[in-house]
Amino acid sequence: MKKELKLKVNGQPYELYIKPKTLLVQVLRDHVGLTGTKRGCNDSSCGACTIMLNGMAVKSCSILALQANGCEVVTVEGLAKGNKLSPLQRAFLDHGSYQCGFCTPGMLMSSTALLAENPKPTKEEIKEGIDGNICRCTGYNSIIRAVTAVVKGEYKEAK
Amino acid sequence: MTSKFSVIGQRVHNIDGTEKVTGSAKYTFDVVLPNMLYGKILRSPHPHAKILKIDTRQAKKLIGVKAVVTGKDTLGRKQGIWRRFPELCDEEILCRAKTRYIGDPVAAVAAIDEDTAEEALDLIEVEYEPLPAVFDPLEAIKEDAPQVHDGVELNININRHIEWGDVDEAFRKCDHIREDQFKCSSQAHVCMETHDAVASFGHNGKLTVWTSTQSSYYIQRLYADMLDMRESDIRVMNRHTGGGFGSKFELDSAQFCAAILSQKLCQPVKIVLTREEEFTATKRRTPMYYFLKLGAKKDGTLLAKEARVITEGGAYTAMGATALYLTGFFSSFPYKFPNYRYDGYRVYTNTEPSSAMRGFGAPQSTFCGESQLDMMAEDLGIDPIELRRKNGMTPDYEVPGQAFIQSCGLHQCLDKIEETIEKRGKLPPNHGIGVASYGFMSGGIFNWFNTPYAFSAAVVRINIDGKADVFTGACDIGQGSNTTLAMICAEELGIKLEDVRVFSGDTGICPPDLGAWGSRQTLMSGNAVKRAAAECKSQIMEFAAAKMGVNIVYDLDIKDGWIHIVNRPERGVSYYDIVKGAIRGKDGVAIMGRGHYTPHRKGMISPAYSFGVQAAEVAVDVETGRYKLVNVTTAHESGTVINPVGIEGQLEGAIMMAGGYGYCEDQPMDEGKILNPSIADYKLIRSLDMPETEILEIDTYEPEGPFGAKEAGEGLTNPTAGAIGNAVYKAVGVRINDLPITPEKVFKALKEKEKKKKAK
């Protein structure tokens, strides 16, 4: 028996009919068609599926889509404003904070949520902010450098 | 100093960077095709069993199931990457009569969605007759051990012998000899994108595959073997690939089962392995038992080394045979042993097959060798760095009968590391700094795969707007090879990086290249791209010389899109204008160049070697044995640095992976069952555990490499475990010889040490 799900993804309202056991990550990828959000495990331990739910970083494989009913979701596709990349996206580019790129959407969402909540995190707080996200390529330090550069104000929000 | 290069050495964004930071990069995981089905694989729950009967009738009846296949639907062939040796091609992938490890595939289902396919797996009835199984290679080589493969004596899959000098005589001349044993653990690759494939057979009998792979060419060729098809009827495309690390260049169960299912249905079939399958039913780093004998003179001259190694092969040969060879060679690295002997045995067991993983046998040999070297230094009362300096390789050194070292910056690396350690001054209590030297190859020379093609090949095409398209079979798996190759092409042609597009890893349009393994693409694929670009350049120069009417003794070059006389740079013409004219002048034919590279007369191992020295600092809590990786500093030389941002990433990433190998990563088993098959249970280094990292780049130039470059990918994985082991010893005086060096082992060793002290 399918159920109705209403949510906003990157500002766009959606009305969907889904099986109740569908996970939020499946709705985003398979129903909404936003494949930027990745999935690297099934037990919310890798962080590749991290999105923002009402402003908070959430692993979208860890909740049922119906639990997000009426919520606002931001995915990696929602970070850029038109053709302007967000400060974190630009910082990631400059610092080489990605390699294979599979963890990158989750890393960006965790970092974005962190800075939304705490615009001036210490290095240790940045590390904590991304500790739920595994990156097998970069060794994290380039990601930490990118976030630090944004914290220092080296990347302004594009007008 | 201004660089002689325009593009090389610049801090650039990877050419696929914007796709990756916006989520628009498409991986195989994201591929959806019209009419596509989803597949799942049923795997053996027994480590060793006869398959008596498989009943798929109930599964086939489930609504939404389109096909169920078993080994009977295959040609019964066996794949292997050592194609020159049929007896080493031993993996059916879909087992027909026997399963050899927990995870061996026995059936596969295609259905309208993953849930239905999963449900169908439960309805397949397999009748097994469990057989006695063997899990440890030291057990498996006993006379009465169960046979993993029939007719294989003592379960020895393959052995390797390397020797030079007179080892026995040399040991007689030594003042001091050490014999030590080590055990190297397993390690999982943990690619963020699990193995996956979308295979699509058309009604014309042709196969198209999208897959996450390190070598599209290998996968194409192995498909051709297993399906009895012509290579050119198979198109394999690696899209963005979510990591490889050695796990993705053999035909895997997702690729093979998706193809077998699609062949039956002529519909695309997508299979994505679950994280649990990724841990239990792909491949892994080869666990090894290491027995080392090292002999030295009083003054620290290392006269002889003997290495005897037994590796846990698991159920199939895979690339593990190469790891067996390379661990033997790199056990002598990076030192000038006048006498050396290696005997290695790869032994079949009823466990997940072991194979290639970043470093390819060298992290094992480096951990053992560098640990023993520190012990030897202590025995002789010589500083560990001094001992390495005394015996370390130098440029233009020949490893007897094996290898020619051209560029080598090991001594500069040792100097730099010594300097940084001295600068660090006195350390707090229970802190220690350990060092380890290392080296690695820039691609292998061996051709056990038996390719008739050049090892690397590229085509460069210049379009009417002056932009260059590179076509290469090289595979970018995240290491950034497409960017590196684009930089090489741009530098050679004298144009901007944004003037270059790269089409890679697609066997339909790219010339064959062995792909991303053995740290080979910068040097080998780079040489091929450079040569292809040079061929284009010479065609362009013909037109430029004609247009400019220059004296033929003058040299022309291109820099920043300006074709000019070398000694009078102001005299020139626009590259872009000349290209337009040249294409018209060639009756409209685009300018194209081809380039190939296969190493010749470069020894047995590799055309070039990177070197480095790493220092790891740990802080040990003596109460609990827990320790923290405080800092890892690496002095590294990889010839000319093409892409500095890329090298930093490789280095820091290697520390995460190799630090994990030294510190926490392991795959404990019970009767062949891996006990931690999830990221939650498999401990790896997360951001909070990551040490500070410092990179000290040493300048060298490798004559064999493109613009002087050599490898910078895998070698960096070699030193860390050894450096950690040496650091823990320096910090608290306990030596752990089996990986990983967990806090538990340190704690036990500390207790043991205390007990001994009291007993005195």
Side-chain angles (χ1 to χ4, degrees):
Chain A
M1 184 64 188
K2 289 193 174 178
K3 297 235 166 161
E4 188 189 59
L5 167 70
K6 282 187 185 176
L7 79 175
K8 262 190 186 173
V9 183
N10 301 331
Q12 175 70 36
Y14 288 88
E15 277 185 41
L16 303 162
Y17 286 86
I18 59 162
K19 289 183 190 164
K21 70 168 199 172
T22 311
L23 299 172
L24 181 57
V25 63
Q26 292 171 306
V27 160
L28 294 172
R29 288 180 53 85
D30 304 339
H31 297 252
V32 179
L34 294 176
T35 54
T37 302
K38 302 301 185 215
R39 189 173 177 176
C41 69
N42 302 313
D43 54 7
S44 63
S45 55
C46 82
C49 68
T50 308
I51 49 97
M52 277 164 69
L53 187 72
N54 291 349
M56 279 189 18
V58 168
K59 290 172 181 174
S60 61
C61 79
S62 70
I63 65 165
L64 296 171
L66 288 173
Q67 291 174 287
N69 198 26
C71 293
E72 293 211 21
V73 172
V74 179
T75 70
V76 68
E77 289 92 344
L79 291 181
K81 300 277 169 278
N83 61 5
K84 301 276 193 293
L85 298 180
S86 79
L88 274 166
Q89 286 174 311
R90 283 183 280 130
F92 267 51
L93 276 175
D94 286 349
H95 291 82
S97 314
Y98 57 88
Q99 283 176 39
C100 85
F102 207 79
C103 79
T104 311
M107 281 290 182
L108 280 164
M109 298 318 295
S110 289
S111 313
T112 303
L114 170 72
L115 297 192
E117 197 190 319
N118 175 7
K120 294 283 174 202
T122 62
K123 188 170 176 184
E124 207 54 23
E125 287 169 336
I126 295 171
K127 284 183 163 193
E128 277 168 21
I130 59 166
D131 199 48
N133 298 66
I134 297 283
C135 172
R136 195 56 158 166
C137 299
T138 65
Y140 309 104
N141 288 355
S142 58
I143 297 167
I144 296 162
R145 286 196 291 273
V147 179
T148 305
V150 173
V151 171
K152 281 187 184 159
E154 290 172 26
Y155 295 86
K156 298 281 176 240
E157 195 72 55
K159 292 274 154 55
Chain B
M1 197 180 87
T2 55
S3 167
K4 59 184 171 177
F5 300 121
S6 303
V7 180
I8 283 175
Q10 300 295 313
R11 299 188 71 83
V12 301
H13 294 169
N14 270 13
I15 59 174
D16 56 9
T18 47
E19 288 165 68
K20 285 178 176 171
V21 301
T22 54
S24 59
K26 287 276 175 286
Y27 299 75
T28 301
F29 185 59
D30 304 321
V31 171
V32 178
L33 298 177
N35 211 16
M36 188 175 88
L37 300 169
Y38 295 83
K40 285 278 174 191
I41 299 167
L42 185 68
R43 299 174 181 279
S44 171
H46 302 287
H48 197 192
K50 255 189 204 159
I51 301 170
L52 300 177
K53 204 173 123 198
I54 305 179
D55 186 345
T56 60
R57 283 172 300 180
Q58 291 304 314
K60 280 177 178 160
K61 279 185 201 155
L62 186 69
I63 292 169
V65 170
K66 302 295 176 187
V68 183
V69 293
T70 68
K72 286 188 179 144
D73 298 282
T74 69
L75 298 175
R77 296 186 173 193
K78 293 176 179 180
Q79 76 131 356
I81 210 128
W82 277 45
R83 294 173 64 249
R84 284 176 71 91
F85 302 91
E87 72 276 15
L88 296 180
C89 297
D90 53 12
E91 189 175 3
E92 285 179 316
I93 303 185
L94 266 173
C95 304
R96 288 152 69 94
K98 205 173 150 181
T99 62
R100 292 181 173 84
Y101 76 97
I102 296 172
D104 231 352
V106 291
V109 175
I112 49 156
D113 56 39
E114 280 195 316
D115 286 348
T116 309
E118 190 83 50
E119 206 181 324
L121 293 187
D122 291 338
L123 299 173
I124 300 172
E125 284 174 31
V126 188
E127 209 178 302
Y128 294 100
E129 180 194 324
L131 299 169
V134 63
F135 309 109
D136 188 302
L138 299 182
E139 293 299 319
I141 45 171
K142 289 182 180 164
E143 286 284 355
D144 53 353
Q147 283 266 289
V148 180
H149 290 266
D150 294 338
V152 177
E153 218 179 312
L154 301 175
N155 285 312
I156 293 171
N157 163 225
I158 184 166
N159 59 354
R160 290 268 119 188
H161 176 80
I162 301 172
E163 184 166 0
W164 62 80
D166 187 338
V167 177
D168 297 321
E169 177 59 25
F171 274 125
R172 278 193 282 275
K173 289 183 189 156
C174 290
D175 296 320
H176 185 58
I177 292 172
R178 280 199 67 96
E179 289 187 76
D180 297 286
Q181 294 187 20
F182 302 88
K183 196 177 163 195
C184 301
S185 49
S186 181
Q187 187 178 24
H189 303 84
V190 200
C191 305
M192 291 307 291
E193 184 186 19
T194 60
H195 287 65
D196 51 17
V198 179
S200 178
F201 262 101
H203 286 278
N204 57 8
K206 292 183 181 159
L207 171 63
T208 307
V209 182
W210 293 260
T211 190
S212 178
T213 182
Q214 297 174 233
S215 176
S216 307
Y217 167 66
Y218 275 9
I219 302 306
Q220 179 198 34
R221 182 60 252 174
L222 293 170
Y223 265 131
D225 289 347
M226 293 290 278
L227 300 171
D228 193 21
M229 289 173 68
R230 294 173 71 179
E231 267 175 31
S232 307
D233 288 337
I234 302 162
R235 181 177 183 185
V236 176
M237 287 173 270
N238 104 312
R239 318 206 36 156
H240 287 291
T241 287
F245 313 115
S247 71
K248 292 180 179 170
F249 57 102
E250 300 160 56
L251 192 64
D252 61 54
S253 58
Q255 291 159 345
F256 184 64
C257 294
I260 293 288
L261 288 162
S262 177
Q263 196 170 26
K264 266 198 170 328
L265 299 162
C266 284
Q267 276 178 264
V269 176
K270 179 176 186 173
I271 297 183
V272 178
L273 295 196
T274 63
R275 181 55 64 185
E276 185 177 348
E277 286 176 295
E278 190 76 5
F279 274 111
T280 58
T282 56
K283 304 277 184 338
R284 59 202 172 98
R285 190 186 291 288
T286 309
M288 297 186 183
Y289 287 100
Y290 243 91
F291 306 87
L292 286 183
K293 186 173 171 185
L294 181 67
K297 300 291 279 181
K298 264 187 218 148
D299 68 353
T301 307
L302 299 174
L303 278 190
K305 183 172 183 176
E306 183 176 19
R308 283 176 297 132
V309 175
I310 292 176
T311 79
E312 182 188 327
Y316 302 108
T317 302
M319 258 292 194
T322 314
L324 183 78
Y325 182 56
L326 291 176
T327 202
F329 175 71
F330 283 109
S331 200
S332 75
F333 238 64
Y335 304 106
K336 295 177 171 179
F337 285 104
N339 306 284
Y340 177 76
R341 181 161 62 216
Y342 166 73
D343 281 289
Y345 299 87
R346 186 175 191 275
V347 182
Y348 283 130
T349 49
N350 292 112
T351 57
E352 182 186 28
S354 66
S355 188
M357 183 170 172
R358 192 172 185 186
F360 222 159
Q364 292 94 322
S365 61
T366 310
F367 166 69
C368 305
E370 291 300 299
S371 298
Q372 193 184 41
L373 209 62
D374 261 34
M375 297 186 233
M376 177 60 94
E378 191 180 5
D379 291 352
L380 297 174
I382 295 176
D383 176 73
I385 291 182
E386 198 44 47
L387 186 64
R388 287 169 172 85
R389 193 177 277 130
K390 193 167 181 71
N391 296 281
M393 284 177 177
T394 48
D396 301 316
Y397 172 71
E398 183 181 348
V399 183
Q402 300 286 321
F404 304 105
I405 311 294
Q406 295 194 76
S407 61
C408 170
L410 179 63
H411 282 75
Q412 295 96 300
C413 292
L414 283 164
D415 293 346
K416 270 269 188 238
I417 284 292
E418 192 171 45
E419 225 174 82
T420 30
I421 293 174
E422 275 167 15
K423 259 192 227 155
R424 212 80 63 79
K426 193 169 155 45
L427 298 176
N430 301 321
H431 278 237
I433 297 178
V435 297
S437 308
Y438 64 97
F440 200 62
M441 60 181 186
S442 309
I445 287 177
F446 28 85
N447 185 18
W448 296 305
F449 190 78
N450 207 16
T451 180
Y453 291 114
F455 279 17
S456 279
V459 172
V460 173
R461 177 180 69 197
I462 311 286
N463 300 311
I464 194 75
D465 56 4
K467 283 206 168 199
D469 290 335
V470 176
F471 298 86
T472 167
C475 287
D476 194 329
I477 55 173
Q479 85 284 43
S481 57
N482 281 355
T483 303
T484 298
L485 296 175
M487 292 174 88
I488 288 170
C489 178
E491 188 69 47
E492 180 65 27
L493 281 169
I495 57 179
K496 294 195 275 291
L497 180 60
E498 50 270 34
D499 284 342
V500 182
R501 292 192 297 183
V502 178
F503 299 84
S504 66
D506 178 347
T507 66
I509 57 168
C510 304
D513 183 293
L514 302 188
W517 61 271
S519 253
R520 57 181 299 286
Q521 289 190 164
T522 295
L523 188 139
M524 295 199 187
S525 310
N527 273 334
V529 167
K530 186 171 187 287
R531 287 171 189 183
E535 205 174 294
C536 292
K537 187 176 174 181
S538 74
Q539 294 172 47
I540 295 164
M541 290 312 202
E542 287 173 18
F543 285 89
K547 170 100 176 170
M548 291 166 71
V550 293
N551 187 331
I552 61 159
V553 298
Y554 287 176
D555 292 320
L556 291 182
D557 202 0
I558 316 175
K559 205 163 172 126
D560 301 327
W562 181 247
I563 305 178
H564 58 275
I565 297 168
V566 171
N567 292 329
R568 296 181 60 188
E570 73 286 357
R571 261 198 72 189
V573 287
S574 156
Y575 157 85
Y576 300 95
D577 291 343
I578 290 294
V579 166
K580 283 191 185 82
I583 291 176
R584 281 171 200 279
K586 284 169 68 109
D587 200 21
V589 178
I591 295 162
M592 288 183 93
R594 300 195 303 174
H596 297 90
Y597 179 81
T598 306
H600 290 290
R601 299 185 187 200
K602 293 285 176 291
M604 318 246 293
I605 314 290
S606 176
Y609 303 83
S610 69
F611 294 89
V613 182
Q614 193 167 73
E617 179 180 344
V618 300
V620 184
D621 176 349
V622 287
E623 296 300 316
T624 62
R626 285 178 68 95
Y627 65 95
K628 191 176 163 53
L629 276 176
V630 179
N631 177 295
V632 178
T633 299
T634 315
H636 176 75
E637 62 99 356
S638 51
T640 302
V641 174
I642 307 263
N643 177 4
V645 178
I647 285 205
E648 287 164 17
Q650 287 294 308
L651 222 153
E652 290 179 338
I655 290 167
M656 181 270 187
M657 187 171 272
Y661 182 55
Y663 177 61
C664 53
E665 292 185 39
D666 198 4
Q667 297 186 285
M669 289 188 199
D670 180 28
E671 302 280 295
K673 190 175 176 61
I674 292 173
L675 299 175
N676 57 345
S678 72
I679 289 179
D681 294 322
Y682 181 90
K683 298 293 172 217
L684 32 68
I685 289 184
R686 289 176 180 261
S687 54
L688 283 169
D689 316 312
M690 188 66 192
E692 294 294 321
T693 50
E694 275 176 62
I695 302 159
L696 311 164
E697 199 61 52
I698 303 296
D699 199 20
T700 53
Y701 184 91
E702 172 52 48
E704 186 66 12
F707 298 105
K710 51 186 179 177
E711 83 88 24
E714 292 189 52
L716 303 163
T717 331
N718 300 344
T720 316
I724 291 174
N726 289 340
V728 168
Y729 183 78
K730 282 264 169 74
V732 291
V734 298
R735 169 70 61 188
I736 310 296
N737 280 9
D738 64 314
L739 289 174
I741 302 167
T742 57
E744 189 188 348
K745 288 178 194 168
V746 174
F747 176 76
K748 280 185 182 159
L750 282 168
K751 288 281 152 220
E752 197 63 31
K753 192 181 148 201
E754 222 170 87
K755 229 200 271 169
K756 273 188 194 160
K757 212 169 150 189
K758 275 187 190 155
K760 277 181 189 170

